[in-house]
Amino acid sequence: MSNKLVILGAQWGDEGKGKIVDLLSEHFDVSVRYQGGSNAGHTVVINGVKYVMHLLPTGILHPHNVGVIAQGMVVDLKALKEEIEDIESKGNRILHKLYISDRAHVVMPYHKLLDKLLERKNGIGTTLRGIGPAYMFKFMRKGIRMVDLFDQKVFEKKMEENIEFVKDIAEKVFGEKFEIDTRYIEEEVVRPFEFFKDRVIDTAKWLRENTKSVIFEGAQGTLLDIDMGTYPYVTSSNSSALGLANGTGFSPKYFKDAKIYGVAKAYLTRVGGGPFPTELHGEEAEKLRERGGEYGATTGRPRRVGWLDLVALKHAVDVNALDGIILTKLDVLDGYPEIKVCVAYEYNGKIYRDFPASLEVLENCKPIYETLPGWKESTKGLTDASKLPANAKRYLRFIEDYIGVPIVMLSTGPQRHEYIFLKEIV
Ligand code: IMP
């Protein structure tokens, strides 16, 4: 196995990355999260115990694996403390083997407030975790970084400036009275920081000097990438492979021999607003949502559901230079007499085979489908590729032929052992 492995979302998030990373990270010394924040929700079930990871890399659940929250992340300190405490209460000690970047930005309570206000005006359906505003402050060069919390004077000065700014926006743009109780900041930021401040270091340097083998865990998915996704219906970070270098502090050169795999569902889902050419509605949608248990791990929101979109998946393959796809939830399609797959879009009489940048096209295009025969047999929990129904194999082959890279692994259920390797992941 390559000593640098990247696992990221090839769709709009929620592809089932948590379980895959949990499985694969067993072979790595270090696991790194490099973008996003507590908007992510990666669910893992280990020996019947369920863990929902929001900020921590999933790999840290393995006793030997060191976890890194790298500089590209925006960190909600209270949420991180609660996440660590929850995992430790289940008997898994992790704090002593976690490193947090001193350059990572802090999600402040007023970022969450701003997220709510911005959502009220032409909202895009964010997770309301303050992610967009935290990155907005970062790029305005007004953000508070972990390192600032070591110096009370610096922290307070920056915070006061920030609060003035937010107050102006809240009152002048949104006409909302804005007051923030400093006790709240104490509770949400200052005290949680005390809990893990010993773990805050220059993670880029630590990674350069200590890492033997490392797994990088993407959050969200390629179609939510700020540059390559369905802008503006995206998250505020580079959730594709484009975020690896700036998110970790490694030069792009470091990744030249990394293997990069994209996780994709056998169908498609999305939470929040934005274009979704293959979206299903009514009873058909209800059926797929119920079968797939498609409710958000972070917000509990019902997910929008639809058929697999190969135009979008091929975009993810190209953007990330994927070595292969890890396909999840194939079993959700068991029993469907026919399965549709989108192979192109049509808009204004023009056929699109490349994923368009234009929101207008994405929102108004008509998906062009191929219809493939379904299978009656259950694929749930299968661990042997030879037991896959012939039409399921045909479905997989169709996908591979279109996207031009292999499906290297199948996940066949939520449990750790429910998977099939179709190719060696190296
Ligand atoms: P934000 O990341 O909270 O700003 O939300 C921006 C968009 O990304 C919204 O459509 C969210 O629903 C979506 N999003 C953010 N994080 C995730 C995730 O982990 N899974 C799926 N969608 C997400």
Side-chain angles (χ1 to χ4, degrees):
M1 194 171 281
S2 165
N3 67 354
K4 288 168 206 143
L5 184 66
V6 182
I7 301 293
L8 45 78
Q11 295 166 328
W12 277 298
D14 307 319
E15 300 93 349
K17 296 179 287 293
K19 175 193 152 169
I20 304 299
V21 169
D22 165 47
L23 242 141
L24 298 174
S25 55
E26 195 177 348
H27 309 287
F28 292 84
D29 304 319
V30 179
S31 50
V32 180
R33 272 275 315 267
Y34 56 92
Q35 47 70 227
S38 57
N39 47 349
H42 297 160
T43 309
V44 196
V45 183
I46 303 171
N47 299 329
V49 182
K50 185 171 165 183
Y51 298 90
V52 184
M53 317 293 282
H54 295 288
L55 285 150
L56 292 164
T58 305
I60 199 170
L61 295 174
H62 291 286
H64 69 278
N65 189 292
V66 174
V68 174
I69 288 182
Q71 65 195 38
M73 289 190 71
V74 288
V75 185
D76 179 330
L77 301 182
K78 185 161 177 254
L80 178 58
K81 178 170 181 275
E82 285 170 1
E83 194 171 322
I84 296 169
E85 285 174 338
D86 179 58
I87 294 169
E88 296 211 327
S89 76
K90 291 170 180 161
N92 196 341
R93 287 196 54 244
I94 53 163
L95 182 59
H96 66 287
K97 59 189 185 81
L98 170 69
Y99 291 114
I100 304 163
S101 169
D102 53 4
R103 291 185 171 87
H105 280 243
V106 178
V107 176
M108 298 294 289
Y110 44 81
H111 292 146
K112 290 188 227 170
L113 184 110
L114 210 48
D115 208 352
K116 264 196 214 131
L117 291 179
L118 290 166
E119 274 300 286
R120 258 195 244 159
K121 262 200 181 175
N122 308 321
I124 64 158
T126 73
T127 60
L128 301 178
R129 297 296 193 268
I131 305 300
Y135 280 114
M136 178 177 136
F137 275 61
K138 171 175 174 170
F139 288 100
M140 284 195 318
R141 293 153 294 174
K142 296 281 179 211
I144 293 179
R145 297 182 300 163
M146 288 288 177
V147 68
D148 299 325
L149 284 161
F150 285 103
D151 187 327
Q152 199 184 341
K153 264 203 202 126
V154 171
F155 171 64
E156 280 177 1
K157 183 166 178 289
K158 285 195 166 192
M159 189 181 65
E160 275 158 25
E161 275 176 27
N162 278 195
I163 289 177
E164 270 311 295
F165 182 78
V166 177
K167 195 172 158 63
D168 270 355
I169 300 185
E171 294 182 353
K172 295 184 183 147
V173 180
F174 293 96
E176 286 274 335
K177 192 149 175 44
F178 174 77
E179 264 175 279
I180 196 142
D181 187 338
T182 43
R183 271 177 313 181
Y184 193 49
I185 302 266
E186 178 76 24
E187 202 178 295
E188 300 256 321
V189 181
V190 179
R191 257 190 277 140
F193 181 69
E194 288 298 314
F195 178 71
F196 44 62
K197 71 176 188 194
D198 295 347
R199 310 310 305 161
V200 176
I201 60 163
D202 179 345
T203 51
K205 179 172 157 54
W206 185 87
L207 282 167
R208 280 194 301 272
E209 292 174 355
N210 290 282
T211 301
K212 285 187 269 275
S213 66
V214 56
I215 180 163
F216 298 89
E217 305 182 13
Q220 292 83 51
T222 305
L223 304 178
L224 287 171
D225 184 280
I226 184 88
D227 290 300
M228 306 311 288
T230 47
Y231 189 89
Y233 294 93
V234 290
T235 192
S236 298
S237 64
N238 281 116
S239 47
S240 71
L242 304 190
L244 278 166
N246 61 37
T248 58
F250 276 122
S251 156
K253 235 190 212 177
Y254 170 88
F255 295 99
K256 68 179 190 304
D257 57 345
K259 292 284 171 196
I260 309 183
Y261 294 101
V263 184
K265 272 181 197 162
Y267 50 97
L268 195 52
T269 64
R270 131 163 251 179
V271 269
F276 186 169
T278 62
E279 183 168 16
L280 292 169
H281 299 279
E283 258 175 50
E284 262 190 311
E286 208 47 50
K287 178 176 163 189
L288 190 53
R289 182 176 304 115
E290 287 309 312
R291 292 189 59 135
E294 296 298 350
Y295 296 89
T298 299
T299 58
R301 289 182 286 181
R303 296 180 184 137
R304 298 160 65 193
V305 298
W307 295 116
L308 185 62
D309 180 342
L310 291 180
V311 181
L313 191 60
K314 177 78 168 74
H315 176 66
V317 168
D318 296 341
V319 166
N320 298 301
L322 293 183
D323 291 289
I325 289 284
I326 295 170
L327 200 74
T328 61
K329 294 187 127 177
L330 183 70
D331 56 291
V332 173
L333 299 180
D334 292 351
Y336 273 87
E338 287 182 334
I339 296 166
K340 287 189 184 175
V341 208
C342 172
V343 293
Y345 306 144
E346 190 201 325
Y347 174 75
N348 260 352
K350 188 176 160 199
I351 302 294
Y352 289 76
R353 293 188 197 281
D354 291 323
F355 195 70
S358 159
L359 190 68
E360 169 67 20
V361 176
L362 283 166
E363 273 179 340
N364 298 300
C365 67
K366 200 171 125 263
I368 299 176
Y369 290 112
E370 281 282 337
T371 303
L372 302 181
W375 53 92
K376 288 203 186 73
E377 305 88 327
S378 169
T379 61
K380 175 118 189 62
L382 279 191
T383 52
D384 179 354
S386 68
K387 302 231 166 71
L388 282 171
N391 283 345
K393 285 188 190 154
R394 185 168 161 183
Y395 184 58
L396 302 184
R397 256 199 321 274
F398 187 88
I399 298 171
E400 288 179 326
D401 287 346
Y402 188 101
I403 60 176
V405 295
I407 295 171
V408 292
M409 183 181 175
L410 280 181
S411 165
T412 56
Q415 296 289 336
R416 222 178 199 176
H417 64 274
E418 294 175 318
Y419 65 88
I420 306 172
F421 277 116
L422 300 172
K423 300 252 172 2
E424 207 182 337
I425 297 194
V426 282

